[in-house]
Amino acid sequence: MKRKGSVSEDVEFTFTPLVILELAKDTPEKTTEWLIQKIKDGKHLSGAHLSIRPLEENSKVYVIGASWRRLLLGAESLGFVKEFQDGSMRVFTYNNREDYKHFTNDDSDFLTMAEKQYIIKRELENLRAVNETMVPGHPQAKLYPGKSIFRRLQTSGILIQLYPLHEPAELKKLSFIWYRQVKFSFQPLDEIQKYFGQSISLYFAFLEYFTFALFPMAVIGVPYYVFAWEDYDKYIVFATFNLVWSTIVLEVWKRWCSRLSYKWGTLTMKREFEEPRPGFHGTLGVNPATGRKEPVYPSYRRQLRIYLVSVPFVCFSLYICIVVMMIYFGMEDLVLAYNEEAQSMFSSSLLYLPSVVYALVIEIMNRIYRYAATFLTSWENHRLESSYQNHLVLKVLVFNFVNCFASLFYIAFILQDMKLLRQNLAALLITSQIINQFVESLFPYCLQKRRKKIIKQKLSTSTEEKELPLTDQVKLEGKMDTFLGTFDDYLELFQQFGYVSLFSCVYPLAAILAVLNNITEVFSDALKMCRVFKRPFSQPGSDIGVWLLAFETMGVISVMTNCALIGMSPQVKSFFQGKSIELVLLIVGVEHILLGLKFILAFAISDIPRDIRNKVARLEFESMEALKQKQMKEADEFLKKEQQKDEMRKENQVKKI
């Protein structure tokens, strides 16, 4: 299928351009020819059986695509789940392709462009060396049977970048309904999923859900803040509501997430066998599970690196957080003393300065630590990407929790100064939101302006409405930044969830500020995805992964925190005058009961709605029945062959007699 619109005059493409491959400019011709042949070769020759053409003559940039049949076979091997004629979601099989809804024999929308590009990526990643001992033309790039060729090309610096192409027409439609119209409406999650894949669409679904979940807190918080402005101690009602809200909100999300995942075909999608990370290194050995040769790194050496280097570094970083926090409290004391002496408007305005400066320092420390944590986690040399991500998330979450919330806990439970707690919480929340909006809104806007300037300087087409020639489009997208994932976006929501669920009872405006921030976040993140970054490869996913556990942990901490705040309220203390031990025992007992109810509620409320469970169970039953029938058919065929053999033996015996 030819690409619609203008195409480079040097090369005529007979397939839909899906993925761009760029090699280093000094890559020898021997290496290039070998790689192109590996990509073109059929599966029986250990190739990828894909189509590839140079973007221009004598160019090291290549365009990759595939035939419709090849893409369908790739969808089957990856276990894609598609809607069947009866409305159920079933694993796609090539032989039964006519039984699926919206299927046509031409290159149709049965597979989205994101799915096609993901198939190409997986096929390229699965290209493995057979008898090669090195990359031709690069003796230093060693290979061995079973080694992923593209991973070796990445680590050797031969492969510069591999990215999927944007679809200008579809991107324009998505942009218009997503962020170009300023209106109060739901996001086009299905369209986002079709264009960017499940993992990114699940992030935007969670952002939208969390924003709507904050509305009850915001509605209660505004009048509570207005009518009890100076009464910092009457927070027992709001703290009680916090307890209920933080427990229910995540349970409801799990059910909605299951519905989305089922509709998008990832809830029942089979889990892939994880290959070693590109950065994983070690001595050559054999994987006992696959029998393939791959790097082997002793587990004890990784554990030594973790416990002798990473853990001490994290502990030292936490110590620095505490030191900075104590410096902040020292600044607070100095400013308070100065204000008591001066009693001027200037001295009164200085009261907020330590909190603002401390909030800025926290954000700077968070970003510096993130780079250090990424370096350390890479140095630990984890074999699997999932293990790498889990260790990185754990490091970052522990530091961010202490860095962002330690001062709030100290003020609330050591100093017991609710006025200072409100001031500190407001400064942390507002400052972090301003910084994040600058980084995620203003900075992307500047990048977009720069991109427009490049278009006007280098291209003859001066308007955005016209589709660029493929060559110009590839050159333009090649210079765009690479999207690094949703890690920082989830981290921002995690911090926001902590501010709201832990201490918003003393600063009820926290929820409404979070809602306003998230509304602008939707537009800024949409702008980034559509106009600032290269299009990321689709990544199948059925939930938000390890982040759900992080949010649930914060929910447990919020129960304990709000119970303690309720116990510290004057209303409760008035009932236990002179009986502090009884009060502590009561609060601890109530907290344990509420935690028990929280876990019972989490167990009682199914993560998957009943109708979805029934559909999944029906599919499993039908799959088992089909497997039984297949086994029975094979057994019948085997018996028939054995009977035929017996009859032939008898006939031969009769003939001999």
Side-chain angles (χ1 to χ4, degrees):
M1 181 178 176
K2 294 185 179 181
R3 181 180 188 268
K4 296 179 181 179
S6 301
V7 180
S8 171
E9 295 178 359
D10 299 323
V11 180
E12 183 181 357
F13 290 93
T14 56
F15 57 87
T16 303
L18 296 174
V19 174
I20 300 301
L21 168 71
E22 183 178 352
L23 302 177
K25 292 182 178 179
D26 59 349
T27 304
E29 283 300 318
K30 189 176 181 181
T31 305
T32 304
E33 292 173 1
W34 169 78
L35 178 61
I36 290 175
Q37 193 60 47
K38 292 289 288 186
I39 293 173
K40 287 182 176 181
D41 280 345
K43 285 288 189 178
H44 63 288
L45 296 174
S46 301
H49 197 201
L50 301 175
S51 303
I52 181 170
R53 297 284 188 276
L55 181 67
E56 295 177 304
E57 192 175 349
N58 299 322
S59 173
K60 293 298 182 182
V61 179
Y62 296 85
V63 180
I64 303 176
S67 67
W68 180 231
R69 181 177 181 276
R70 180 68 187 85
L71 291 171
L72 293 175
L73 291 173
E76 180 181 30
S77 66
L78 291 173
F80 280 10
V81 177
K82 290 293 181 179
E83 188 176 3
F84 215 61
Q85 293 289 1
D86 61 3
S88 63
M89 303 297 293
R90 304 194 183 195
V91 177
F92 175 75
T93 55
Y94 182 78
N95 291 335
N96 298 326
R97 58 191 181 278
E98 300 289 346
D99 296 330
Y100 292 85
K101 271 189 179 180
H102 312 301
F103 179 83
T104 57
N105 285 316
D106 60 347
D107 193 348
S108 65
D109 294 331
F110 178 71
L111 294 177
T112 66
M113 184 68 82
E115 289 174 329
K116 296 173 185 176
Q117 291 167 333
Y118 178 72
I119 292 169
I120 298 289
K121 173 177 176 283
R122 293 295 300 160
E123 293 297 339
L124 292 175
E125 288 178 343
N126 288 332
L127 269 179
R128 298 185 180 279
V130 181
N131 299 317
E132 299 92 342
T133 58
M134 66 176 186
V135 175
H138 277 268
Q140 71 278 11
K142 302 298 183 181
L143 290 173
Y144 45 82
K147 172 65 179 176
S148 172
I149 291 174
F150 266 72
R151 292 177 189 272
R152 174 57 70 207
L153 295 177
Q154 283 179 311
T155 55
S156 301
I158 301 170
L159 176 62
I160 302 300
Q161 56 182 347
L162 180 75
Y163 61 92
L165 271 174
H166 272 297
E167 301 170 84
E170 293 300 320
L171 184 62
K172 182 181 176 183
K173 292 178 185 176
L174 178 60
S175 302
F176 182 76
I177 62 175
W178 192 5
Y179 71 90
R180 285 190 173 181
Q181 299 183 89
V182 181
K183 62 178 182 178
F184 187 78
S185 63
F186 294 104
Q187 296 180 91
L189 294 176
D190 290 334
E191 285 73 16
I192 297 171
Q193 181 268 330
K194 290 177 182 177
Y195 196 86
F196 290 109
Q198 291 87 359
S199 291
I200 290 175
S201 57
L202 278 176
Y203 160 71
F204 283 102
F206 183 73
L207 174 60
E208 178 178 280
Y209 169 80
F210 184 54
T211 303
F212 277 97
L214 286 168
F215 268 92
M217 297 278 286
V219 170
I220 296 174
V222 172
Y224 197 91
Y225 181 86
V226 172
F227 296 114
W229 172 264
E230 295 297 336
D231 200 348
Y232 298 105
D233 297 325
K234 291 182 179 179
Y235 48 76
I236 185 171
V237 176
F238 205 88
T240 305
F241 183 80
N242 253 353
L243 285 172
V244 179
W245 179 84
S246 62
T247 301
I248 294 176
V249 64
L250 293 176
E251 296 304 319
V252 177
W253 158 253
K254 292 177 188 176
R255 294 174 65 85
W256 190 44
C257 180
S258 298
R259 287 193 178 277
L260 291 175
S261 300
Y262 179 80
K263 181 169 65 171
W264 294 339
T266 53
L267 185 63
T268 57
M269 192 173 180
K270 64 180 180 182
R271 188 176 179 182
E272 291 184 69
F273 182 81
E274 278 196 90
E275 298 288 345
R277 295 175 55 244
F280 177 66
H281 57 84
T283 57
L284 186 62
V286 177
N287 186 324
T290 62
R292 296 173 180 164
K293 290 185 178 181
E294 65 177 46
V296 176
Y297 189 77
S299 178
Y300 77 90
R301 293 182 63 183
R302 184 181 303 111
Q303 298 303 319
L304 287 175
R305 289 187 175 192
I306 292 174
Y307 290 108
L308 296 183
V309 179
S310 296
V311 172
F313 174 79
V314 173
C315 293
F316 176 73
S317 301
L318 298 181
Y319 172 74
I320 296 297
C321 291
I322 302 301
V323 170
V324 172
M325 181 187 74
M326 299 313 296
I327 293 174
Y328 155 68
F329 286 121
M331 292 172 59
E332 283 283 358
D333 292 338
L334 289 174
V335 171
L336 284 172
Y338 175 73
N339 183 55
E340 288 178 1
E341 291 180 6
Q343 292 294 324
S344 63
M345 185 177 295
F346 175 72
S347 64
S348 298
S349 62
L350 285 180
L351 291 175
Y352 294 94
L353 183 62
S355 296
V356 174
V357 172
Y358 181 51
L360 286 170
V361 171
I362 284 177
E363 289 298 321
I364 294 171
M365 289 173 64
N366 282 343
R367 296 178 188 279
I368 293 175
Y369 177 84
R370 168 68 192 281
Y371 290 110
T374 302
F375 172 79
L376 269 181
T377 310
S378 299
W379 178 73
E380 289 167 3
N381 196 28
H382 294 278
R383 178 179 175 273
L384 302 179
E385 184 65 27
S386 58
S387 176
Y388 170 85
Q389 289 295 333
N390 290 340
H391 280 79
L392 177 60
V393 169
L394 180 61
K395 287 186 185 72
V396 173
L397 287 185
V398 169
F399 179 84
N400 277 53
F401 183 82
V402 174
N403 197 30
C404 295
F405 300 107
S407 62
L408 300 178
F409 280 97
Y410 186 84
I411 295 170
F413 302 117
I414 304 299
L415 301 180
Q416 296 187 14
D417 187 342
M418 296 304 149
K419 184 175 181 179
L420 180 59
L421 179 61
R422 170 180 282 189
Q423 175 185 314
N424 190 256
L425 176 59
L428 287 174
L429 181 61
I430 294 172
T431 305
S432 65
Q433 289 182 349
I434 291 174
I435 292 174
N436 286 323
Q437 286 300 325
F438 173 80
V439 173
E440 297 184 10
S441 298
L442 184 59
F443 187 61
Y445 176 76
C446 294
L447 288 178
Q448 185 189 20
K449 297 289 286 184
R450 173 175 168 268
R451 179 170 177 259
K452 287 182 178 179
K453 186 177 180 180
I454 293 174
I455 292 175
K456 291 179 180 179
Q457 288 177 348
K458 294 192 173 184
L459 307 178
S460 57
T461 307
S462 59
T463 63
E464 292 185 16
E465 304 302 323
K466 296 180 181 179
E467 185 178 346
L468 294 173
L470 178 63
T471 304
D472 292 339
Q473 180 188 344
V474 171
K475 290 179 179 178
L476 198 64
E477 292 184 21
K479 295 178 181 178
M480 297 170 73
D481 294 328
T482 301
F483 180 67
L484 299 178
T486 54
F487 186 98
D488 290 329
D489 299 301
Y490 277 120
L491 183 60
E492 182 183 349
L493 290 178
F494 173 78
Q495 293 176 2
Q496 192 181 95
F497 182 72
Y499 288 135
V500 173
S501 63
L502 295 179
F503 298 107
S504 64
C505 58
V506 296
Y507 185 58
L509 284 185
I512 189 65
L513 289 175
V515 168
L516 294 175
N517 175 79
N518 289 355
I519 291 173
T520 58
E521 186 85 7
V522 169
F523 289 94
S524 62
D525 285 351
L527 174 67
K528 287 191 304 182
M529 296 304 303
C530 294
R531 296 297 177 188
V532 176
F533 294 113
K534 292 185 183 75
R535 184 179 188 174
F537 279 105
S538 168
Q539 187 63 41
S542 58
D543 52 38
I544 61 175
V546 69
W547 289 104
L548 181 60
L549 179 61
F551 279 90
E552 288 181 325
T553 304
M554 183 67 80
V556 172
I557 297 173
S558 72
V559 170
M560 296 185 284
T561 303
N562 283 282
C563 283
L565 289 172
I566 291 172
M568 291 168 53
S569 66
Q571 296 96 318
V572 175
K573 283 184 176 180
S574 63
F575 290 103
F576 293 88
Q577 293 181 357
K579 300 179 180 179
S580 57
I581 296 178
E582 287 85 347
L583 175 58
V584 171
L585 291 175
L586 177 64
I587 293 301
V588 171
V590 170
E591 173 256 330
H592 277 64
I593 292 172
L594 288 173
L595 284 178
L597 290 174
K598 180 181 177 69
F599 293 127
I600 291 172
L601 186 65
F603 179 77
I605 300 176
S606 175
D607 295 347
I608 304 176
R610 178 176 293 182
D611 59 325
I612 302 297
R613 289 205 312 271
N614 292 339
K615 291 177 180 178
V616 173
R618 180 177 175 81
L619 287 178
E620 290 177 351
F621 172 76
E622 291 178 352
S623 298
M624 290 177 63
E625 289 297 311
L627 181 61
K628 287 180 182 178
Q629 291 177 3
K630 183 180 179 181
Q631 290 174 343
M632 290 175 62
K633 185 178 179 181
E634 290 175 351
D636 290 340
E637 291 177 353
F638 177 77
L639 289 174
K640 287 180 180 179
K641 289 180 180 179
E642 290 298 318
Q643 289 175 357
Q644 290 175 356
K645 289 180 180 179
D646 289 340
E647 290 176 358
M648 290 179 66
R649 280 197 295 267
K650 289 178 181 179
E651 289 178 359
N652 291 332
Q653 289 176 357
V654 170
K655 288 179 180 179
K656 288 180 180 179
I657 294 172

